[in-house]
């Protein structure tokens, strides 16, 4: 396994002494309710209040300011105290914001994760065991009878859609500008002034919009499910460069569906896309992409490979995201590691020409692939 250095150090030996390990095990055993305490301390504005009142607040002051009963306030604040979200001055009985509470309040990634896990995943994860045993998204029945979450995205409740797209966009948008420069420099073509990108799994067209607004001659064709193409057209309507964004609606999982080849695409772009599929599906998708490649054009795959992270929390978040795919998305995909992705790329008749790491907010890698001849 190609673990980045900090992960290798963290995961190759025991991190905790016995007392610390026991404390962590207790935290894990109460994990679901600790999560809800964190969420509600944000929802009711208590963390905001404590951040504004650096001198601290009494339980009664918190109750009055939040509108919660003294009982509700006491339950939340005591649970937050024992999980180090807040701390207390024992002489004045004033509660103050702890460092964990500050990050819950101010870290945009953590906020996106909280909304995603509560609105999209929380109830579905109750049947995670069934999803793992049966290889299907057993938790998705909470929302509907679709075979995967992708067919149902446009029909999910508005709040769930907002959290799903908020999570998806947070982890991609920060990478777009740097990714565009890599694409533009790495596209092995003499026609860079008329670059045409095939964005496979382009979703609502956010990357396509960034492409056409950044470079006045780039054309982008998005290939995705028909319902996603409809969402994309609505999302890009009237935006700068939208006339240079085109759509091809198709079920990419249907192995009889060839990739569009009516024109030559300089770049085939797949951003946070392949992790949505199982290994056999990835090979099928890449083989069909390879079929429309020549010696000069390239496939650019951007993924958050969990073993290529610099920090333990990032790797942890990604491996937990795998279990979203298990219970809610499709039942058989995950956040892959480098060894697995390299193996699948080779099996599809491609080879990796170069890897760019630490893209955007640091967690993405771009694998530039060419066809084996």
């Amino acid at each position: 396994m190609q673990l980045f250095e900090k992960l290798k150090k963290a995961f190759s030996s025991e991190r905790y002494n016995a007392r610390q390990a026991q404390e962590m095990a207790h935290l894990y055993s109460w994990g679901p309710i600790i999560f809800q305490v964190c969420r509600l301390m944000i929802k009711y504005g208590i963390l905001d209040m404590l951040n504004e009142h650096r001198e601290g607040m009494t339980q009664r002051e918190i109750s009055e300011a939040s509108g919660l009963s003294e009982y509700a306030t006491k339950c939340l604040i005591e649970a937050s105290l024992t999980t180090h979200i807040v701390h207390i001055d024992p002489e004045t009985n004033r509660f103050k914001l702890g460092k964990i509470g500050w990050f819950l309040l101010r870290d945009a990634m953590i906020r996106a994760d909280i909304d995603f896990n509560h609105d999209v995943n929380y109830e579905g994860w109750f049947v995670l065991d069934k999803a793992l045993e049966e290889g299907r998204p057993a938790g998705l029945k909470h929302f509907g009878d679709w075979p995967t979450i992708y067919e149902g995205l446009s029909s999910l409740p508005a709040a769930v859609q907002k959290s799903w797209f908020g999570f998806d966009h947070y982890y991609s948008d920060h990478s777009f500008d740097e990714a565009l420069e890599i694409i533009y420099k790495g596209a092995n073509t003499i026609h860079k002034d008329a670059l045409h990108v095939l964005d496979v799994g382009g979703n609502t067209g956010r990357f396509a919009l960034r492409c056409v607004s950044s470079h006045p001659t780039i054309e982008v064709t998005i290939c995705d499910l028909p319902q996603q193409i409809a969402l994309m057209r609505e999302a890009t309507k009237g935006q700068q460069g939208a006339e240079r964004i085109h759509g091809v609606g198709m079920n990419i999982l249907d192995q009889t569906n060839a990739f569009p080849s009516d024109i030559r695409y300089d770049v085939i772009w797949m951003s946070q896309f392949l992790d949505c599929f199982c290994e056999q599906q990835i090979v099928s998708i890449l083989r069909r992409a390879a079929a429309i490649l020549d010696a000069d054009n390239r496939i650019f795959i951007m993924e958050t490979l969990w073993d290529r992270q610099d920090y333990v929390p990032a790797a942890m978040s990604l491996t937990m995201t795998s279990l979203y795919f298990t219970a809610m998305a499709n039942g058989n995909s995950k956040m892959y590691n480098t060894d697995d992705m390299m193996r699948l790329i080779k099996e599809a008749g491609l080879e990796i020409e170069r890897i760019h790491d630490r893209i955007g907010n640091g967690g993405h890698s771009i694998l530039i692939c060419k066809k084996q001849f």
Side-chain angles (χ1 to χ4, degrees), residues 3 71 143 151 163 194 250 298 323 339 348 371:
L3 294 168
Y71 165 78
F143 295 118
E151 285 92 340
S163 293
M250 64 176 264
R298 297 289 185 268
L323 298 174
D339 289 346
K371 189 172 183 176

Side-chain angles (χ1 to χ4, degrees), residues 44 56 59 113 143 166 246 282:
Y44 294 129
Q59 177 226 300
D113 289 348
F143 295 118
H246 318 286
I282 290 173

Side-chain angles (χ1 to χ4, degrees), residues 2-204:
Q2 301 186 37
L3 294 168
F4 270 17
E5 197 58 39
K6 288 183 181 178
L7 299 189
K8 190 184 299 181
K9 182 178 180 181
F11 298 149
S12 60
S13 61
E14 179 60 65
R15 293 190 77 180
Y16 304 111
N17 62 35
R19 181 56 62 86
Q20 291 169 331
Q22 184 183 38
E23 181 178 346
M24 291 301 296
H26 278 296
L27 286 171
Y28 292 166
S29 70
W30 286 98
I33 192 58
I34 294 172
F35 170 84
Q36 291 296 348
V37 168
C38 294
R39 186 181 73 85
L40 295 177
M41 289 288 283
I42 295 168
K43 176 182 177 179
Y44 294 129
I46 298 174
L47 296 185
D48 264 319
M49 296 174 204
L50 294 177
N51 188 50
E52 292 171 3
H53 294 81
R54 300 301 175 90
E55 74 282 5
M57 299 175 70
T58 66
Q59 177 226 300
R60 176 164 291 184
E61 289 170 342
I62 294 170
S63 176
E64 291 172 352
S66 67
L68 293 173
S69 69
E70 289 195 26
Y71 165 78
T73 303
K74 185 174 289 189
C75 286
L76 286 176
I77 206 72
E78 289 177 355
S80 297
L81 180 67
T82 58
T83 50
H84 310 293
I85 297 167
V86 303
H87 57 86
I88 190 170
D89 182 335
E91 294 186 1
T92 63
N93 282 331
R94 303 186 79 83
F95 294 93
K96 298 181 180 181
L97 189 69
K99 290 179 181 177
I100 292 175
W102 188 91
F103 280 107
L104 287 168
L105 185 63
R106 288 287 180 254
D107 191 308
M109 182 184 295
I110 290 172
R111 295 292 291 272
D113 289 348
I114 287 175
D115 290 344
F116 178 66
N117 284 324
H118 177 71
D119 293 329
V120 180
N121 300 321
Y122 200 82
E123 294 183 78
W125 269 333
F126 187 77
V127 291
L128 178 59
D129 52 350
K130 185 177 291 187
L132 287 165
E133 292 163 6
E134 298 177 3
R136 65 179 183 86
L140 186 56
K141 68 179 181 181
H142 175 67
F143 295 118
D145 290 327
W146 312 288
T148 73
I149 201 169
Y150 310 110
E151 285 92 340
L153 268 181
S154 59
S155 302
L156 291 174
V160 178
Q161 282 192 39
K162 181 180 179 181
S163 293
W164 192 94
F165 283 111
F167 178 83
D168 181 71
H169 294 161
Y170 180 86
Y171 282 96
S172 58
D173 288 7
H174 292 283
S175 308
F176 284 167
D177 289 338
E178 193 172 349
L180 267 172
E181 291 305 312
I182 291 170
I183 286 175
Y184 204 66
K185 292 176 182 176
N188 189 18
T189 175
I190 60 174
H191 305 295
K192 289 188 178 181
D193 289 337
L195 204 64
H196 201 138
V197 176
L198 178 63
D199 185 355
V200 183
N203 213 325
T204 56

Side-chain angles (χ1 to χ4, degrees), residues 140 148-154 164 225 227-228 275-277 324-325 329-330 333:
L140 186 56
T148 73
I149 201 169
Y150 310 110
E151 285 92 340
L153 268 181
S154 59
W164 192 94
L225 290 166
Q227 55 265 46
Q228 290 303 111
D275 53 52
C276 299
F277 305 101
Y324 145 75
F325 286 113
N330 56 22
S333 70

Side-chain angles (χ1 to χ4, degrees), residues 63 254 328:
S63 176
D254 185 343
M328 300 301 298

Side-chain angles (χ1 to χ4, degrees), residues 164-304:
W164 192 94
F165 283 111
F167 178 83
D168 181 71
H169 294 161
Y170 180 86
Y171 282 96
S172 58
D173 288 7
H174 292 283
S175 308
F176 284 167
D177 289 338
E178 193 172 349
L180 267 172
E181 291 305 312
I182 291 170
I183 286 175
Y184 204 66
K185 292 176 182 176
N188 189 18
T189 175
I190 60 174
H191 305 295
K192 289 188 178 181
D193 289 337
L195 204 64
H196 201 138
V197 176
L198 178 63
D199 185 355
V200 183
N203 213 325
T204 56
R206 291 171 76 91
F207 180 73
L209 277 174
R210 193 70 61 88
C211 284
V212 297
S213 64
S214 300
H215 298 277
T217 56
I218 284 184
E219 302 264 338
V220 181
T221 295
I222 294 176
C223 183
D224 211 324
L225 290 166
Q227 55 265 46
Q228 290 303 111
I229 296 298
L231 287 174
M232 176 274 292
R233 294 195 191 284
E234 186 64 29
T236 59
K237 185 188 303 182
Q239 299 292 319
Q240 178 185 347
E243 70 280 0
R244 287 181 280 119
I245 301 175
H246 318 286
V248 175
M250 64 176 264
N251 182 0
I252 297 168
L253 284 183
D254 185 343
Q255 298 187 28
T256 65
N257 285 335
F259 277 28
S261 57
D262 51 324
I263 61 172
R264 180 189 183 277
Y265 297 100
D266 302 291
V267 168
I268 299 176
W269 171 250
M270 300 179 183
S271 172
Q272 295 183 187
F273 175 68
L274 294 181
D275 53 52
C276 299
F277 305 101
C278 69
E279 292 192 0
Q280 295 88 342
Q281 292 166 338
I282 290 173
V283 172
S284 169
I285 290 166
L286 291 177
R287 278 178 178 160
R288 282 176 282 152
I292 64 171
L293 289 181
D294 57 35
D296 291 326
N297 48 12
R298 297 289 185 268
I299 299 175
F300 289 69
I301 299 170
M302 186 165 80
E303 287 288 342
T304 42

